[in-house]
Amino acid sequence: DVKVTQSSRYLVKRTGEKVFLECVQDMDHENMFWYRQDPGLGLRLIYFSYDVKMKEKGDIPEGYSVSREKKERFSLILESASTNQTSMYLCASSLRQYQETQYFGPGTRLLVL
Amino acid sequence: GQNIDQPTEMTATEGAIVQINCTYQTSGFNGLFWYQQHAGEAPTFLSYNVLDGLEEKGRFSSFLSRSKGYSYLLLKELQMKDSASYLCAVNSGNTPLVFGKGTRLSVIA
């Protein structure tokens, strides 16, 4: 079974703080993704990575950055958190092609005050 | 552009059959996924269609018509635990999956 884990299920941060969300997958998947999910807007892709140290912008990269230093780990960074970044953040991975079946982590619900 | 449409909400009765539709307009097409997502949880993979026709998997079936840009997910013998959101996602070629906004299904007694 593919396992994708995320560092926190719930997180509360203050405006202006730097926030790190960590994601780890244990199945040697090439591709990893970060989404945010908001009511009425669905899943929106923030960034994805198809290889170590490689990253590509998704649909809504503004205010976010990512890091993939190791194949199994993909980090999402909010450089200066804002209230409009309050959301559910979901990490996913896929085996070879980024169009293949994605396996999701449990999500991190982030509240920025 | 990429566009995927699904109904926002549906309600159905326990034991009944429900059909959740998905229409898509994408720059390319290499297959369509259905995911299930219970409230507060991660999406989980249900099915993948790349050829026209019906794929059956237990109580769930998924249909694809590429010429019409249309798919549906059919859930039979509905159970309360089927209350969830159902996400349609398209593999449009050389980009990551494009997700619809999801259909929230409520199963009532």
Side-chain angles (χ1 to χ4, degrees), chain B residues 40-104:
Chain B
E41 297 183 13
T44 54
F45 170 76
L46 282 178
S47 67
Y48 178 56
N49 292 66
V50 63
L51 298 175
D52 289 351
L54 189 68
E55 296 268 350
E56 297 189 68
K57 201 185 281 187
R59 293 189 299 114
F60 291 12
S61 303
S62 55
F63 172 83
L64 176 67
S65 169
R66 289 173 296 172
S67 62
K68 294 182 179 175
Y70 169 68
S71 174
Y72 66 73
L73 182 68
L74 194 72
L75 290 73
K76 302 177 190 173
E77 301 168 17
L78 277 174
Q79 301 175 10
M80 301 299 284
K81 67 178 182 180
D82 297 329
S83 293
S85 288
Y86 293 85
L87 311 180
C88 172
V90 171
N91 169 357
S92 63
N94 291 325
T95 62
L97 298 185
V98 181
F99 282 88
K101 293 181 181 176
T103 298
R104 186 162 63 215

Side-chain angles (χ1 to χ4, degrees), chain A residues 36 46-47 60-66 76-78 84-85 89:
Chain A
R36 64 177 283 178
I46 304 171
Y47 269 96
I60 51 162
E62 296 79 18
Y64 303 94
S65 62
V66 290
L76 180 69
I77 303 149
L78 286 67
N84 64 13
Q85 292 179 308
Y89 289 87

Side-chain angles (χ1 to χ4, degrees), chain A residues 2-4 25-32 49-51 68 71-72 92-96 100-103:
Chain A
V2 177
K3 190 149 188 199
V4 182
Q25 50 91 7
D26 68 354
M27 287 301 290
D28 204 32
H29 280 188
E30 301 288 332
N31 308 284
M32 297 187 76
S49 167
Y50 54 88
D51 201 352
R68 193 162 180 209
K71 190 175 187 179
E72 66 271 19
S93 69
S94 67
L95 180 57
R96 279 184 297 274
E100 290 181 346
T101 306
Q102 291 185 16
Y103 298 89

Side-chain angles (χ1 to χ4, degrees), chain A residues 9 33 35 37 40-43 45 48 98-102 104-106, chain B residues 33 35 37 40-43 45 87 91 93-97 99-101:
Chain A
R9 289 301 303 268
F33 309 83
Y35 295 90
Q37 188 174 36
L41 297 177
L43 278 171
L45 182 64
F48 65 101
Y98 42 73
Q99 308 94 322
E100 290 181 346
T101 306
Q102 291 185 16
F104 286 83
Chain B
F33 295 85
Y35 283 82
Q37 185 179 23
E41 297 183 13
F45 170 76
L87 311 180
N91 169 357
N94 291 325
T95 62
L97 298 185
F99 282 88
K101 293 181 181 176

